[in-house]
Amino acid sequence: MKRVLILTETIGGNGHYQAARSLCQGLSQVEPELNAEICCGMHRVSRQLEQLTRAVYLNTLQYAPALWGAAYSREGEISDRFRTSLGKLLSRRLQEWLEEMQPDVVVCTHAFCLSAMGVIKERMGDRFRLGAAITDFDVNGFWIHPEVDFFLVAHEDVAKKIRRRFGVPDEAIFRTGIPIDPEFSKPQPPKSVLRRMLGLDPDRFTILLMGGGIGMGPIEECLYHFRRELPAHQLVVVTGKNRSLYERLQEQFGSDPRIRLHGFVDSMVHYMHAADIIVSKPGGLTSSEALACGLPIFICQPIPGQEERNSRFLMRKRVALRQDEPGEMARQILSLMENPEMLEEMSRRARELGRPDSSLAGARVIREHLLMKSRPV
């Protein structure tokens, strides 16, 4: 039986793991007999190193985001280190495990162990094919390694940058979209029906407010202003795995019938299709899900680095607006409601840009590389 290893991480939130899970679900539909497995590379290398890396990353984002942005912008220097010293270090811990697994294809949805997989692939003599599923609307040098056989990317803009800046041949780049849950590719009931299913008022303008899988961003401040300045709206708030934020919001706003608070939501498809707009940090997965639903995006205080680049892409495509002051954002939402033609136009452009079938498209690319692996050289 053919075997696919999807290698990911959870050190920086849940998005990379969700992309891996979505690819696995896509593979189960495209190639049901296939053995596909998701693993976290850092967990295999060292649990202590994984925990330390997670703590450093999250604390940097919370207390010194500009420092992360500066590091991200120095991608040339840092990506070289990924491909050399760090890649070789991690490969020593992972190669024996990989030889035992004997995968036919390895796909990385996180850049951290991609270089290690490249080093191992070079040592093992092309015994597996290596893919990278890039989970943002831009590409950093961290993701580029000469041993990668194929790239799954969000958009032609990403493909163009990979070709021009890094010299990757076009036939190795596939514009599949960022992998999201295959449920997004299925037809959904009208908004009013979904709202009744979710216990919401079917006739109220609905704002979905969230901060990704780890509930980062100014959710509390936004909710304070939205509650005061948008009295005719209903608010659905998703705090992800941020339990302390959920409990704090529950204490402050839990009695308000216009506000529905949720922690981690396993599948966002119904909530996004039920909403009129989403206010969120522009992570690759959340943004891709919103686009798949034709949902206009309001961006607030993106993280310097990948989220800043995602913001620029989404605003350039005119599917998102950015406002870093929550009070001003409430007034901007009111202004947009008074211009329903603009709101509908943003929604139309979002649907055109979205790839609800991205995980199925990615799975088909992986299947083709499984077939290539099977052919005699």
Side-chain angles (χ1 to χ4, degrees):
M1 182 182 292
K2 294 293 181 181
R3 192 167 200 177
V4 174
L5 170 64
I6 305 177
L7 196 62
T8 191
E9 304 295 345
T10 58
I11 54 177
N14 205 50
H16 297 283
Y17 185 88
Q18 287 295 339
R21 184 182 175 192
S22 296
L23 271 180
C24 199
Q25 291 169 331
L27 283 167
S28 71
Q29 295 185 33
V30 169
E31 197 71 19
E33 300 301 317
L34 184 69
N35 182 357
E37 183 175 348
I38 301 172
C39 291
C40 291
M42 284 292 291
H43 195 75
R44 285 280 172 179
V45 171
S46 165
R47 294 188 181 186
Q48 290 76 18
L49 181 59
E50 179 186 39
Q51 291 168 357
L52 176 63
T53 304
R54 181 183 292 113
V56 169
Y57 177 73
L58 295 179
N59 279 302
T60 301
L61 294 188
Q62 185 171 0
Y63 299 111
L67 183 63
W68 171 250
Y72 200 86
S73 66
R74 295 172 60 192
E75 60 183 88
E77 176 186 343
I78 296 174
S79 58
D80 285 344
R81 293 177 183 174
F82 261 64
R83 286 193 294 265
T84 53
S85 55
L86 183 59
K88 290 176 181 177
L89 174 65
L90 296 177
S91 70
R92 296 191 193 103
R93 298 288 189 95
L94 293 172
Q95 183 166 346
E96 184 178 349
W97 167 63
L98 206 70
E99 287 175 340
E100 291 176 3
M101 286 195 70
Q102 295 187 349
D104 296 283
V105 175
V106 177
V107 183
C108 296
T109 67
H110 193 287
F112 203 84
C113 288
L114 181 63
S115 57
M117 290 297 106
V119 171
I120 294 170
K121 182 172 179 281
E122 191 173 20
R123 287 180 191 153
M124 292 175 65
D126 288 337
R127 281 161 55 185
F128 62 89
R129 296 187 72 80
L130 179 60
I134 298 172
T135 52
D136 287 298
F137 295 97
D138 200 332
V139 60
N140 193 286
F142 304 160
W143 286 97
I144 308 302
H145 192 283
E147 290 295 326
V148 176
D149 296 296
F150 63 95
F151 294 86
L152 309 180
V153 303
H155 189 266
E156 174 59 32
D157 288 12
V158 186
K160 188 183 297 183
K161 184 173 180 179
I162 292 176
R163 287 198 316 270
R164 293 181 177 177
R165 180 173 294 186
F166 302 107
V168 175
D170 191 65
E171 57 267 24
I173 308 169
F174 298 85
R175 293 82 165 161
T176 58
I178 297 170
I180 59 175
D181 192 327
E183 289 295 313
F184 282 90
S185 67
K186 298 178 181 178
Q188 296 295 319
K191 288 186 187 297
S192 60
V193 175
L194 285 170
R195 288 172 186 170
R196 286 191 181 94
M197 286 171 49
L198 298 171
L200 300 169
D201 186 327
D203 301 317
R204 278 183 184 263
F205 190 92
T206 303
I207 301 171
L208 178 60
L209 174 61
M210 55 188 295
I214 53 178
M216 294 188 70
I219 294 177
E220 190 169 0
E221 191 177 355
C222 283
L223 190 52
Y224 170 79
H225 286 285
F226 290 2
R227 184 193 191 196
R228 187 179 64 181
E229 299 187 37
L230 303 173
H233 302 51
Q234 62 187 343
L235 303 164
V236 179
V237 185
V238 178
T239 62
K241 294 183 177 180
N242 193 333
R243 186 68 190 177
S244 62
L245 174 62
Y246 174 82
E247 291 173 352
R248 199 161 62 246
L249 296 182
Q250 187 69 41
E251 184 176 343
Q252 294 180 67
F253 306 109
S255 61
D256 191 326
R258 295 181 301 114
I259 298 174
R260 297 301 173 93
L261 298 172
H262 300 276
F264 183 78
V265 176
D266 187 54
S267 175
M268 288 299 303
V269 62
H270 291 153
Y271 289 95
M272 287 202 176
H273 274 289
D276 292 294
I277 62 169
I278 181 171
V279 177
S280 178
K281 298 179 73 58
L285 267 289
T286 298
S287 300
S288 295
E289 291 172 345
L291 294 175
C293 300
L295 198 55
I297 303 168
F298 274 74
I299 298 167
C300 191
Q301 301 179 16
I303 297 167
Q306 66 270 38
E307 287 191 359
E308 187 68 45
R309 295 186 184 186
N310 287 345
S311 295
R312 290 199 291 266
F313 172 84
L314 294 166
M315 289 189 292
R316 189 169 69 248
K317 297 300 179 182
R318 296 185 297 163
V319 297
L321 297 171
R322 176 175 174 176
Q323 176 53 255
D324 291 341
E325 295 296 331
E328 288 298 318
M329 179 175 287
R331 288 184 279 277
Q332 199 166 359
I333 291 171
L334 275 175
S335 177
L336 187 62
M337 282 188 65
E338 294 170 357
N339 188 351
E341 292 83 7
M342 182 179 175
L343 189 64
E344 177 53 38
E345 182 62 18
M346 287 181 70
S347 180
R348 183 190 65 79
R349 285 194 293 262
R351 285 191 295 271
E352 288 182 352
L353 190 60
R355 287 298 307 267
D357 65 339
S358 55
S359 60
L360 300 171
R364 294 186 191 103
V365 173
I366 295 168
R367 180 177 62 185
E368 286 302 309
H369 281 267
L370 282 168
L371 294 173
M372 292 179 191
K373 178 70 170 52
S374 303
R375 294 173 191 142
V377 179

